[in-house]
């Protein structure tokens, strides 16, 4: 998606540890015009799939996913970090290992809110090693929900997240696919370049 | 705001510990139609304030705040939990005590993204004891940013959050003000009732 790639080129910063910092427009400061356009893109792709719910994981996927929910006219649902006392015990739960933070955390989603009646479109800001996405797919599996597809803003394809979730057989639509990051040069290469 | 109060009455659940569970439409599952209307309400109130940025705190404020940002045509900015390695060191930082989780956590916002040029509307889902709001106000103070107002979805007025931030002298607009929660009866009273 050209608008997103242009913003990444103009404002993204490459940091040590293969981090692509996009906090100026996507995941700390968020440009609503850009994510509105991103939502349109995914809607064009998945409009005929009878989506009942948009699923993401807190925190940085939420701003993107709620615009997608509005476009599809369905609720947004986000999986919460487990420690929250506001999550009732009646939840689907999974463990996710974060390579960035080098720790395992648990996320949960209420059994009331994700059920076998749901046909889910998963949305997230990044696909890197695929652990967060695998967690969301496992939550859907626990719930007996169908996954109609996955929308990712930025895929770092060199971290092989797509392979990590290959066995789930879901269609993944990434708006910007990064082939490599060069920390020393502060540069990046897109897969389509 | 009648639409929000009606949803709280119909779908809110009162849990032990003065918790009002609204996870079916506001802070785990989110109804985009409802928050669109909430954003309209705050826009009507603060449209003439020359807002430059909407500020909230992760995670449950984000879905609401990004719709407000879209309505005002300005960026959303959210303060992040401190542990994230994707936050650079050049941040404004505060400690916030959570009565719900009974722990202190640190949140940060990039100095690049919140500056003295900003005129901020703060948005959050709940105002209870006011500690999270106080943290956001302190972040703005550190940044030298002006706070034009505060929009809160649900204010639990018996937890006195408004008093906790009285010294900041900001206008607070709450869409639903809860006077009391009765855990045994599972009932609630609104301030205007």
């Amino acid at each position: 998606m050209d608008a997103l790639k242009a913003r990444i080129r103009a404002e993204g910063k490459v940091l040590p540890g293969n981090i692509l910092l996009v906090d100026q427009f996507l995941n700390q400061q968020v440009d609503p015009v850009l994510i509105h356009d991103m939502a349109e893109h995914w809607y064009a792709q998945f409009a005929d799939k009878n989506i009942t719910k948009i699923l993401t994981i807190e925190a940085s996927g939420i701003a993107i996913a709620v615009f997608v929910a509005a476009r599809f006219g369905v609720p947004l649902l986000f999986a919460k970090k487990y420690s929250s006392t506001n999550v009732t015990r009646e939840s689907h739960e999974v463990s996710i290992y974060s390579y960035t933070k080098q720790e395992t955390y648990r996320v949960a989603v209420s059994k009331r809110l994700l059920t076998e009646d749901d046909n889910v479109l998963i949305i997230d800001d990044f696909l890197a090693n695929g652990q967060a996405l695998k967690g969301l797919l496992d939550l859907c599996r626990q719930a007996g929900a169908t996954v109609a597809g996955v929308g990712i803003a930025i895929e770092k394809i060199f971290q092989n997240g797509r392979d990590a979730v290959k066995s789930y057989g879901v269609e993944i639509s990434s708006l910007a696919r990064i082939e490599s990051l060069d920390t020393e040069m502060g540069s990046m290469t897109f897969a389509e370049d």
Side-chain angles (χ1 to χ4, degrees), chain A:
Chain A
M1 186 215 179
D2 291 341
L4 177 60
K5 285 192 272 190
R7 288 296 281 276
I8 296 170
R9 276 197 196 91
E11 298 178 36
K13 291 181 186 66
V14 181
L15 299 183
N18 277 323
I19 290 172
L20 176 61
L21 193 70
V22 288
D23 65 354
Q24 200 158 314
F25 57 94
L26 197 65
N27 64 8
Q28 177 169 182
Q29 184 162 277
V30 179
D31 177 358
V33 176
L34 176 65
I35 56 175
H36 177 272
D37 291 348
M38 291 162 57
E40 285 296 330
H41 192 97
W42 285 313
Y43 184 73
Q45 191 162 358
F46 295 106
D48 62 346
K49 300 282 190 187
N50 298 311
I51 305 292
T52 64
K53 213 158 272 190
I54 307 298
L55 177 67
T56 190
I57 185 168
E58 69 176 26
S60 50
I62 296 174
I64 303 168
V66 74
F67 269 74
V68 181
R71 187 62 188 86
F72 279 82
V74 300
L76 162 72
L77 180 62
F78 58 92
K80 302 184 84 160
K81 302 272 167 75
Y82 182 69
S83 64
S84 172
T85 51
N86 281 16
V87 174
T88 66
R89 296 283 163 79
E90 296 124 9
S91 299
H92 304 294
E93 296 170 22
V94 293
S95 291
I96 296 176
Y97 180 72
S98 166
Y99 285 93
T100 312
K101 299 186 183 181
Q102 299 193 329
E103 62 185 30
T104 298
Y105 58 102
R106 286 185 71 74
V107 298
V109 70
S110 167
K111 288 182 182 174
R112 282 184 289 111
L113 302 176
L114 186 64
T115 74
E116 60 190 9
D117 295 331
D118 282 313
N119 187 36
V120 171
L121 176 62
I122 294 174
I123 296 287
D124 210 355
D125 57 341
F126 273 98
L127 175 59
N129 46 63
Q131 297 308 296
L133 177 55
K134 190 172 173 303
L136 291 174
L137 290 164
D138 284 336
L139 283 175
C140 290
R141 211 171 247 189
Q142 279 184 38
T146 310
V147 178
V150 176
I152 298 290
I154 302 174
E155 179 179 357
K156 301 197 287 190
I157 59 175
F158 55 93
Q159 291 182 318
N160 304 315
R162 211 174 262 262
D163 290 343
V165 297
K166 200 171 189 175
S167 66
Y168 294 83
V170 289
E171 180 184 353
I172 300 176
S173 165
S174 303
L175 303 186
R177 302 182 71 220
I178 309 279
E179 197 165 77
S180 65
L181 295 174
D182 185 328
T183 306
E184 279 184 31
M185 299 295 289
S187 63
M188 65 197 82
T189 314
F190 288 92
E192 295 87 339
D193 287 352

